[in-house]
Amino acid sequence: MRLLADIVLMPLIAFITGLFLVLMYRRVRAKIERRVGPPFFQPVYDIVKLFAKKTQISHGVMHDLSIVLLLGGYITAEIFLPVPGFKGLAEEGDLLTLIYIMMVPMLGLALGVGSCANPNGSIGISRALTAMLAYDVPLAVAIIGATMTYGTTNLVEIVRIQQEGGMATWGIATMPLLAIGGYLAVHGMFGKEPFEIYIAPAEIATGPMVEMSGKYMGALFIMQCFQLYTIGVLYVTLFLGGGENWPLFLIKVAAVVFISVAVTNVYGRYRTDKVVRWMWKWPTGIALLGLALVMAK
Amino acid sequence: MSELDFLFAFAAVLIAGVMCCGRDGRAGWAAMAVYGAMLVAVMAAAGKVAGGSIPSALGFSVLGHKIGWRMDGLGWFFSMLTAGAAFFASWYAAGEWGRAQPGMKTQHLLLALNVAAMLLLVNAGDLLSLFIGWELVSWAAFAMMAQKGGPAQPAAMRYMIYALAGAMAVLAGIMIVHAVTGSFAYKDFAAAFGAMSSGMKWLLAGLFAAGFGVKMALMPFHLWQAAAYSETPGASSAFLNAVSARMGLFALILVLVKVMGLSALAGLHVPLIGLSAKGLLMWIAAFTMVIPTFIALMQTDARMLLTWHGIGQGGYMLLGVLVGTGLGTAGGLLHVFNYATYQMALFLAVTAVIHRTGTSDLDRLGGLITRMPWTYVTLLMGIIGLAGLPPMNGFVSKWMIYRSLLDSGSAFLLIFAFVGTLGTILSVYKLIHNIFLGRLRPQHEGVREAPWSMVAPMLALGGIGFVTGWFPGLALNLTDIAQAAMGAPELPHGLGGVATARGSLNMIWVVSILLVAIGFGAIVFYFLGNRRYEVNQLNNYAGGHFLSPQVPYQFSHEFYPGLARVIGPWYRGSIVRAEQGIGTLLDVSGDLWRGIYHLAWTPLYLLAATVIALGWAIMGGM
Amino acid sequence: MTDKPLKSHVRPPQDTMPGGAGQGCPAPDAQTRSIWRRIMDDFADHCRARSLFVLHYCTGCGAIELPPTITSRFDMERVGITPMVTPRQADILLITGYLSLKTLKRVILSYEQMQGPKYVLGFGSCTINGGMYWNSYATMKRLDQYIPTDLFIAGCMPRPEAVQQVLLKLIEDIDAGRANAWQDYYRNYDFYLGNQQRLFGAGWNTPTDVIGEARHYGYYGPGTEGEHTRLLAEGGGSAARLAHAEYPSTALTGRIKS
Ligand code: SF4
């Protein structure tokens, strides 16, 4: 029974938090551009509007299934996240499982976009996967370093270790270099400038989203909510001590997203190969240094 | 007669049967039945090998040494894979695919020979029978690749050069062992190994590792396999890729891990760089994981791409086994099993595409999902396994390998493992996208789904992959037996996976929740919003351009241009150059050899060479 | 170019026009809906009115007025209006000014690829009556002859304030459930197609199966099919099918599924 509640509530909370994060993202962006920004319910309006479209264009069964996989993959990921007050299933899978579950929606989306038969979409996926290869290397180093430090891949344990020792045992304090490298990777994961090569509206017409309309697009908007939340929680869990209680936890998650949003506006867009080079050079270098320090301890 | 004798008898009967009436249309189904019976026989022997080993009556004696065969847990595990892979390959070939092939009798025969050779290899009772089996497998595989008139001949020639070089190294190793211990038995070798000088240990480990490593296409010797395996006709190449490619791994496990022992290898230090022989091998495995994977990423032919991945996956298996903990060994062995299921499914799916469209060139396909949906499903399951994502079985074994690397503190090796997996994801997406997604080409309008005789075995393999991903305990029960025979520590596990103090995996939960969540996703998607309307492929955004089939509107060539700019120069600089260099070398030496090989029926030479080699070994050992 | 409608192309009477009583149309009108349905529709309209993605079709001169409308000076995002890139994602098709024959074809293609409810805004006098290109040989004069247009913005060129005003008017209309011009394209497809054919010739065709969609979504009206759509069928159906005539096709002609 408790599990059932978790399965329903955890993704729901993730979604609602995600809506706030999207709102924050758009508001902050507007403020930086000296605009007013969207109204409070804007993320909800967008999603409802898209689902309420009266004609829905599909490019075949795989196109539909990809959306299902996309939502399913992220909902699964939410249930495996350690959040305050919920047991979820964080004990049954671990950090490694979570990382790979997070790739399921990505693969699902990629398959659906491919079946739209639009080369803009295919290019978008090609770039998205290349970007993934780029940012996942430093992320992997950071994650490995963190698990080496904590001595476990059990997410609940990782959170417990940091909370029992207080701020001084937070990942960001015990392994600052890994935290920095990991953060740069996370910024890439958010897919914001200068790493938004796979959206690139002026180049490839929003890449994966080019043929997405109506509820297909709506599902992508939902995915964005989940994505911001999941990545934020992952980083908070690894480096910021996880959540003691909901308010603190949400503040931390919001902070992770906020920093990324706050810096993104000043950048242009990198070329794909530049992204790979940059990611493999700076964040990976920093993280490797951090890993070496961790290993030397 | 023991179970092992039954197996050998089955194989012999099958060879004889195929020889006399392989041309019959029903030969394929009969062969499939025999392989099925073999599989059943192997499974029935599970209880027996779990406790000890099964001797065979087969054997002979050379100069006072009894040379024989016996099946222990490790041999059992590989026998099972052999019989299983042969079963699915022959099932696939029994129907329409086989009828469409020229010279199907030869293919039946070669498959039977390969199976027999593999059985002789994996159930070898001592070093000499191991070598005999080794040579038989090499030559049987060679014959399979170099079928008369087949396009694979140059590749097969190249393979032969490598194989011979490897065999020489192995033979030299066996000779030395014999010279020192005066016996071919594993246990004498194992007993004597500890007392040897470290130079001697290095020499032996080096010879065996190099000799077997060639077959496994370990890093410095990796250049032959892709070309050789990928050009072989469909079902046979699936067998080669799924099983024969793993014989090097089997021999490495047997000699280096089981006989020499990992602790002995760990005690061998490389001067200056602070690595042990074990560490060195692990790093070789790590590079084998990454570099072939990225070479695979650059391929434009589906079969080449898959074979390069096969090489890369070999690195994971070896790495897991070398870690040596219960988790690592089980992970490595489980990966052998998992790999056999998904690689076989992938190859069969690609063969189905070739059967229908006549090409496996990734730049000349696209959009086949509407035409061959079941093949697509198989390929999808296969690539999820190959990429190591949940819910397929590939994820479980990779997770175990990652976990064991973390436990043993090998952070940097783990980074390699991650990077290899990432590269695999990119490359398999390219595979599925370029064949099945995107725009359907006009010339493929009339393509139909492959017949059920081909689709059924493919789906069955995919199904095995899914079920053993959901309940990995099923497959772990099999690896347990091999693990016990290797003398590796046991791994306690449940039906759903492994629970350790430092992070556990319960696939029953993971997959079930994934399915439930996908159900949620389906509810959100299908019940909210209006009905969907499926449009044609030309109704597509093209910046206001009117599309027609005459307008090429597909992205498949050079699928990862950004990445290619980063790794391309390196790829062209080292890999392609090395390929060309070896190609020239082989052309020169090939001219010398070709005369001999092409004169008459190759197996005759096989026999001659083996006999000569044996004689030499024994004389040298005297 | 003269594009005075031919006799048979005269627009249907006003009461089948958008926002009218909707004679013979299967979509339920405001009075017969159940309470629940009405609440849902009102909620959807509420959200639609507050979330509008715009596809700018910027071939005319007026494009220059849009950056100030979007960016910090006037900030359209305040009322939920965001620029989008492809017709699939967009709700509003904003036509900034004159359309040559060539661009009109693209506009129609893009319009058909948008998902309903969709709104068309004609921007500048060129879209209303031809404006200063009135006697040009290469531009069309009245946009609403070719695609149903919700609102026009008069002026040459209209200032951002005017653009904003019309957007606010559109929001008001959507909120009240009045902005249904897009349904007219399905219901009176024959009329629009006829006008298009007069400019582009009888072979004119787009890849979108408008009639099929109209049937699928219940917007099929007496004006959906007629003599012009018959021409379409004679030509082999949509452009996709036309171009595919040399081989039989099923994948490329799309199946209807619910
Ligand atoms: S209305 Fe005036 S400003 Fe607008 S396109 Fe026509 S001529 Fe240009």
Side-chain angles (χ1 to χ4, degrees):
Chain A
M1 205 49 231
R2 193 197 152 108
L3 180 70
L4 205 66
D6 284 359
I7 290 177
V8 175
L9 280 181
M10 286 170 84
L12 207 62
I13 292 176
F15 175 52
I16 294 168
T17 316
L19 288 173
F20 279 105
L21 292 174
V22 170
L23 179 72
M24 180 187 81
Y25 166 67
R26 290 177 66 170
R27 280 267 177 91
V28 170
R29 183 154 225 172
K31 291 286 169 333
I32 292 173
E33 291 169 1
R34 294 201 172 185
R35 290 190 286 117
V36 179
F40 184 75
F41 282 114
Q42 191 62 47
V44 182
Y45 292 149
D46 285 347
I47 292 170
V48 173
K49 187 261 321 238
L50 286 166
F51 271 87
K53 277 277 184 187
K54 289 192 178 158
T55 61
Q56 308 273 3
I57 287 305
S58 160
H59 279 280
V61 178
M62 195 59 228
H63 191 194
D64 306 351
L65 283 181
S66 77
I67 299 298
V68 172
L69 270 177
L70 183 91
L71 294 175
Y74 264 114
I75 291 175
T76 318
E78 306 316 336
I79 298 170
F80 282 89
L81 283 176
V83 293
F86 286 98
K87 206 160 161 291
L89 284 170
E91 296 268 6
E92 303 293 344
D94 63 350
L95 183 56
L96 300 175
T97 318
L98 180 68
I99 298 291
Y100 283 95
I101 285 178
M102 279 168 68
M103 287 180 186
V104 172
M106 185 93 163
L107 183 71
L109 176 65
L111 293 171
V113 171
S115 67
C116 289
N118 194 314
N120 288 307
S122 299
I123 294 172
I125 292 297
S126 143
R127 290 183 179 190
L129 289 175
T130 310
M132 185 194 79
L133 178 67
Y135 63 65
D136 263 2
V137 173
L139 191 73
V141 178
I143 284 172
I144 293 167
T147 48
M148 286 279 167
T149 313
Y150 300 126
T152 176
T153 51
N154 186 331
L155 290 161
V156 180
E157 272 294 292
I158 291 178
V159 172
R160 196 186 54 75
I161 290 171
Q162 294 180 75
Q163 289 183 356
E164 279 180 1
M167 284 264 261
T169 53
W170 283 12
I172 200 156
T174 52
M175 37 190 173
L177 285 178
L178 283 172
I180 295 172
Y183 193 80
L184 295 174
V186 159
H187 185 72
M189 250 174 137
F190 283 132
K192 304 294 177 211
E193 294 94 342
F195 305 119
E196 46 111 60
I197 46 173
Y198 49 94
I199 309 295
E203 249 182 286
I204 50 170
T206 61
M209 295 172 325
V210 61
E211 275 297 309
M212 298 290 179
S213 59
K215 55 182 172 182
Y216 299 83
M217 190 71 174
L220 291 189
F221 274 54
I222 295 179
M223 182 196 87
Q224 194 194 10
C225 299
F226 280 141
Q227 193 193 20
L228 291 177
Y229 173 80
T230 315
I231 299 172
V233 173
L234 184 66
Y235 192 82
V236 168
T237 307
L238 284 179
F239 296 109
L240 295 179
E244 292 88 354
N245 48 41
W246 273 101
L248 255 180
F249 180 62
L250 289 183
I251 289 172
K252 285 179 189 175
V253 174
V256 172
V257 181
F258 176 80
I259 297 172
S260 183
V261 174
V263 297
T264 186
N265 248 35
V266 300
Y267 294 110
R269 180 166 59 240
Y270 272 154
R271 221 167 53 194
T272 316
D273 56 329
K274 288 269 170 71
V275 172
V276 177
R277 287 215 179 89
W278 192 86
M279 277 288 180
W280 285 358
K281 198 193 266 171
W282 295 110
T284 312
I286 295 170
L288 276 176
L289 212 62
L291 181 62
L293 284 181
V294 166
M295 299 285 285
K297 255 185 218 161
Chain B
M1 264 180 76
S2 68
E3 282 87 344
L4 186 55
D5 290 326
F6 268 119
L7 272 188
F8 288 151
F10 274 137
V13 166
L14 187 62
I15 293 173
V18 172
M19 285 262 230
C20 75
C21 33
R23 232 176 276 287
D24 193 296
R26 286 155 301 179
W29 296 109
M32 170 191 151
V34 176
Y35 293 127
M38 269 188 187
L39 191 58
V40 172
V42 176
M43 289 318 248
K48 251 188 172 178
V49 288
S53 62
I54 304 172
S56 161
L58 191 68
F60 54 88
S61 133
V62 184
L63 301 170
H65 299 292
K66 252 196 83 56
I67 305 302
W69 276 264
R70 63 174 39 247
M71 177 193 261
D72 64 356
L74 192 62
W76 175 84
F77 183 69
F78 279 88
S79 304
M80 178 200 63
L81 291 179
T82 308
F87 173 71
F88 284 108
S90 58
W91 183 1
Y92 185 85
E96 186 184 312
W97 189 80
R99 283 199 295 281
Q101 295 292 306
M104 200 51 213
K105 176 182 175 180
T106 331
Q107 287 203 35
H108 282 317
L109 180 62
L110 288 171
L111 184 62
L113 281 173
N114 265 283
V115 171
M118 272 307 283
L119 288 177
L120 285 174
L121 169 70
V122 298
N123 296 311
D126 49 57
L127 284 174
L128 205 54
S129 51
L130 179 73
F131 184 72
I132 292 172
W134 182 260
E135 279 298 285
L136 286 177
V137 172
S138 300
W139 287 92
F142 172 71
M144 204 179 229
M145 291 169 205
Q147 281 168 45
K148 215 171 162 198
Q153 269 188 4
M157 285 305 297
R158 184 191 289 199
Y159 159 79
M160 215 48 232
I161 307 285
Y162 273 101
L164 281 177
M168 287 301 159
V170 173
L171 192 60
I174 293 178
M175 262 164 53
I176 294 171
V177 171
H178 186 257
V180 175
T181 65
S183 146
F184 291 115
Y186 296 143
K187 63 174 188 308
D188 294 336
F189 180 20
F193 189 67
M196 286 180 193
S197 69
S198 83
M200 195 61 152
K201 282 181 180 170
W202 268 114
L203 182 63
L204 281 178
L207 280 173
F208 282 119
F212 297 142
V214 165
K215 267 306 165 45
M216 214 188 136
L218 273 183
M219 244 321 264
F221 315 117
H222 59 288
L223 288 172
W224 64 271
Q225 200 180 57
Y229 280 9
S230 60
E231 288 298 331
T232 310
S236 315
S237 112
F239 179 82
L240 283 181
N241 266 287
V243 173
S244 302
R246 297 286 83 92
M247 77 185 215
L249 181 78
F250 165 77
L252 275 179
I253 294 178
L254 184 69
V255 175
L256 262 63
V257 179
K258 189 179 162 190
V259 177
M260 292 186 181
L262 281 177
S263 49
L265 289 180
L268 280 178
H269 289 290
V270 187
L272 297 180
I273 54 170
L275 268 179
S276 68
K278 181 183 159 190
L280 194 65
L281 268 176
M282 284 174 105
W283 275 105
I284 290 177
F287 279 102
T288 309
M289 274 180 318
V290 173
I291 293 179
T293 300
F294 281 84
I295 298 174
L297 188 59
M298 310 290 282
Q299 299 303 314
T300 54
D301 184 281
R303 288 179 299 173
M304 282 292 265
L305 184 143
L306 286 176
T307 323
W308 274 113
H309 274 304
I311 300 172
Q313 298 296 305
Y316 284 92
M317 302 166 198
L318 184 61
L319 195 59
V321 169
L322 284 175
V323 170
T325 56
L327 197 60
T329 317
L333 288 172
L334 186 61
H335 206 57
V336 176
F337 175 85
N338 293 346
Y339 166 85
T341 58
Y342 59 69
Q343 182 79 338
M344 188 111 191
L346 286 170
F347 250 93
L348 295 183
V350 168
T351 308
V353 171
I354 297 174
H355 181 64
R356 285 302 193 213
T357 65
T359 178
S360 60
D361 186 342
L362 292 176
D363 291 348
R364 286 172 203 288
L365 291 161
L368 286 176
I369 179 169
T370 54
R371 292 295 179 268
M372 308 177 73
W374 291 112
T375 314
Y376 169 79
V377 170
T378 314
L379 196 85
L380 180 59
M381 292 207 269
I383 65 161
I384 295 178
L386 181 60
L389 299 182
M392 298 299 286
N393 55 7
F395 170 69
V396 185
S397 42
K398 277 195 179 172
W399 182 90
M400 289 164 76
I401 295 168
Y402 301 148
R403 195 53 263 200
S404 66
L405 285 171
L406 268 180
D407 285 343
S408 64
S410 323
F412 293 98
L413 286 170
L414 185 55
I415 296 174
F416 272 69
F418 269 2
V419 172
T421 300
L422 290 172
T424 312
I425 294 175
L426 261 69
S427 149
V428 295
Y429 180 70
K430 169 178 151 176
L431 177 75
I432 201 164
H433 174 275
N434 286 9
I435 296 179
F436 285 103
L437 305 177
R439 164 89 78 83
L440 185 72
R441 283 169 193 264
Q443 65 266 35
H444 295 150
E445 270 293 315
V447 167
R448 281 171 301 126
E449 175 61 283
W452 278 105
S453 64
M454 292 161 77
V455 170
M458 292 179 341
L459 283 177
L461 282 163
I464 294 177
F466 180 68
V467 170
T468 52
W470 197 347
F471 306 106
L474 298 175
L476 282 170
N477 288 338
L478 306 177
T479 60
D480 272 351
I481 297 174
Q483 214 168 341
M486 280 167 64
E490 229 176 282
L491 174 77
H493 62 81
L495 184 62
V498 205
T500 70
R502 314 165 80 193
S504 22
L505 176 70
N506 189 342
M507 281 305 278
I508 300 184
W509 273 116
V510 174
V511 178
S512 307
I513 290 295
L514 191 62
L515 292 180
V516 169
I518 286 175
F520 279 176
I523 292 172
V524 169
F525 179 75
Y526 287 108
F527 286 89
L528 295 180
N530 212 344
R531 287 181 301 162
R532 66 199 199 67
Y533 183 81
E534 204 172 307
V535 296
N536 68 52
Q537 289 199 317
L538 298 178
N539 187 355
N540 227 321
Y541 170 77
H545 198 86
F546 286 82
L547 294 174
S548 77
Q550 283 71 41
V551 183
Y553 200 53
Q554 163 81 326
F555 178 69
S556 47
H557 181 62
E558 283 250 354
F559 198 71
Y560 296 109
L563 188 65
R565 262 200 227 168
V566 181
I567 65 170
W570 160 84
Y571 169 73
R572 276 185 294 278
S574 59
I575 307 303
V576 178
R577 200 79 48 75
E579 278 273 326
Q580 284 164 353
I582 286 174
T584 337
L585 184 74
L586 289 186
D587 276 350
V588 175
S589 52
D591 279 340
L592 299 176
W593 290 80
R594 193 167 295 140
I596 311 171
Y597 284 132
H598 280 220
L599 272 181
W601 204 45
T602 9
L604 209 66
Y605 287 112
L606 169 158
L607 228 60
T610 319
V611 169
I612 293 170
L614 275 181
W616 183 41
I618 292 154
M619 288 306 137
M622 286 293 105
Chain C
M1 171 165 289
T2 158
D3 52 2
K4 181 168 163 279
L6 297 182
K7 214 160 177 93
S8 60
H9 297 115
V10 173
R11 245 180 140 179
Q14 274 300 308
D15 55 357
T16 61
M17 285 296 287
Q23 287 176 352
C25 297
D29 65 285
Q31 271 64 46
T32 56
R33 288 176 301 180
S34 69
I35 299 254
W36 170 241
R37 182 73 200 264
R38 213 175 314 163
I39 293 173
M40 288 292 283
D41 280 359
D42 285 355
F43 177 59
D45 280 338
H46 181 82
C47 292
R48 279 184 198 121
R50 278 151 190 82
S51 160
L52 290 165
F53 298 161
V54 192
L55 179 69
H56 306 296
Y57 205 92
C58 295
T59 50
C61 341
I64 199 68
E65 297 298 332
L66 291 174
T69 321
I70 304 164
T71 53
S72 38
R73 181 75 175 84
F74 293 102
D75 187 18
M76 289 207 297
E77 206 185 7
R78 274 182 302 165
V79 287
I81 296 174
T82 325
M84 273 287 170
V85 181
T86 77
R88 295 284 187 213
Q89 307 158 346
D91 305 301
I92 299 178
L93 183 57
L94 187 61
I95 311 282
T96 64
Y98 61 86
L99 288 171
S100 71
L101 294 193
K102 228 174 173 176
T103 46
L104 180 60
K105 285 182 184 173
R106 272 74 194 172
V107 164
I108 292 166
L109 177 78
S110 302
Y111 177 75
E112 289 181 354
Q113 286 185 344
M114 285 166 66
Q115 307 308 305
K118 48 190 170 183
Y119 319 101
V120 179
L121 299 183
F123 179 112
S125 19
C126 282
T127 56
I128 300 172
N129 56 12
M132 67 182 268
Y133 295 96
W134 189 81
N135 52 4
S136 160
Y137 59 91
T139 58
M140 60 97 227
K141 282 194 208 35
R142 288 180 57 188
L143 180 61
D144 61 358
Q145 297 285 308
Y146 307 100
I147 48 177
T149 310
D150 286 84
L151 292 164
F152 289 104
I153 313 170
C156 176
M157 54 186 55
R159 293 190 46 80
E161 288 94 329
V163 180
Q164 272 202 314
Q165 207 158 20
V166 86
L167 285 171
L168 290 175
K169 170 83 173 88
L170 180 69
I171 288 173
E172 203 183 302
D173 281 359
I174 298 172
D175 221 350
R178 283 197 302 265
N180 290 326
W182 63 279
Q183 296 177 3
D184 194 49
Y185 195 68
Y186 290 118
R187 300 211 169 109
N188 291 312
Y189 181 51
D190 193 56
F191 164 76
Y192 292 106
L193 185 71
N195 289 343
Q196 293 165 11
Q197 278 173 353
R198 266 187 332 110
L199 291 194
F200 310 134
W204 161 250
N205 237 321
T206 55
T208 309
D209 185 7
V210 179
I211 302 168
E213 279 180 33
R215 282 217 180 86
H216 187 68
Y217 289 111
Y219 297 123
Y220 190 87
T224 303
E225 279 185 293
E227 50 177 320
H228 304 107
T229 53
R230 261 198 297 287
L231 226 61
L232 211 61
E234 276 163 28
S238 78
R241 272 162 272 166
L242 195 67
H244 271 277
E246 59 270 33
Y247 53 85
S249 163
T250 50
L252 295 165
T253 51
R255 288 164 290 132
I256 299 173
K257 249 193 225 159
S258 58

